[in-house]
Amino acid sequence: MSSCNKEDFAPKHPQTQSATISDLQKVWVGEYEGWDSLMNAKMKIMRQLALNPDSTYTNVLGAVIDLPNASKEPAPIEKEAGTYEIILDDSAQTATVCFTVAYDSIIDFGTQVFMGYDHKHYRTSDGIEHEDTIYQQYFRILRGKEGSFQLEATDSLMYSIDGNGLPIVYLMNVARMKPE
């Protein structure tokens, strides 16, 4: 997490293609697996990020935790909503999304009850709690199939299982709508 200054941009990546803000105003989904140092366990995360055209967003995380006696079915662990602003870099190869949090609710793994906050609430691997009303996330924009795009994101609070201790990098795709 970091501040939301427009001067703070992610580096440019030549493998990406131009996108517009409306190309990014979609429901994005992604899955990834990593090591959560606070839970001291391997977790599989399922993320759904809706960037609505009216500049509101929802960010929902589900997880399967690799612990004895834990369910192998995904369970919600965080629900967040608020407003956002997308800042594209000069060549539209990366996007910085500045989130202004209206609420964040996180599961208490001990009680299985959601705890509600009026800000982004998280703990870093050193156990320190953080509260941010505004935070940003960088996405690398990749050209997908048939003119679509993918977003490459990083979860800086989870680490690779391979023992290298690097943050998890994962892809997000536009959600496919189920036929009614």
Side-chain angles (χ1 to χ4, degrees):
M1 307 292 164
S2 59
S3 69
C4 207
N5 295 325
K6 291 186 181 187
E7 294 85 36
D8 296 337
F9 290 105
K12 293 181 168 95
H13 300 277
Q15 303 93 343
T16 58
Q17 299 293 321
S18 295
T20 65
I21 289 176
S22 63
D23 289 327
L24 304 181
Q25 292 174 323
K26 311 273 187 226
V27 177
W28 297 91
V29 294
E31 290 187 11
Y32 55 99
E33 199 171 70
W35 185 261
D36 184 291
S37 60
L38 292 174
M39 292 285 296
N40 201 27
K42 183 169 82 170
M43 295 179 75
K44 181 176 184 178
I45 302 292
M46 287 68 77
R47 181 180 184 191
Q48 179 177 305
L49 173 63
L51 298 174
N52 302 312
D54 66 356
S55 296
T56 62
Y57 78 94
T58 58
N59 187 33
V60 178
L61 298 178
V64 175
I65 303 170
D66 189 12
L67 290 173
N69 302 322
S71 172
K72 300 305 176 208
E73 295 297 316
I77 61 169
E78 182 174 12
K79 299 174 185 176
E80 175 189 332
T83 59
Y84 72 92
E85 177 186 5
I86 297 174
I87 303 166
L88 296 172
D89 74 359
D90 291 338
S91 63
Q93 296 173 345
T94 60
T96 302
V97 182
C98 296
F99 296 101
T100 301
V101 180
Y103 79 85
D104 188 20
S105 56
I106 303 170
I107 194 78
D108 179 316
F109 287 103
T111 64
Q112 296 299 303
V113 173
F114 275 94
M115 304 299 293
Y117 303 94
D118 62 357
H119 53 269
K120 180 74 171 175
H121 186 85
Y122 62 99
R123 285 191 183 124
T124 50
S125 60
D126 56 10
I128 296 174
E129 290 190 36
H130 298 270
E131 300 176 352
D132 295 325
T133 302
I134 298 173
Y135 73 96
Q136 66 186 12
Q137 183 173 11
Y138 297 107
F139 295 96
R140 191 163 71 127
I141 304 167
L142 306 172
R143 172 75 62 192
K145 295 179 184 174
E146 301 172 9
S148 66
F149 294 94
Q150 291 181 303
L151 298 178
E152 183 181 85
T154 301
D155 185 331
S156 60
L157 300 177
M158 287 190 73
Y159 302 97
S160 61
I161 298 169
D162 62 12
N164 290 335
L166 298 174
I168 298 296
V169 176
Y170 61 99
L171 291 178
M172 297 186 76
N173 293 295
V174 174
R176 295 182 186 203
M177 298 303 178
K178 296 178 184 170
E180 293 182 32

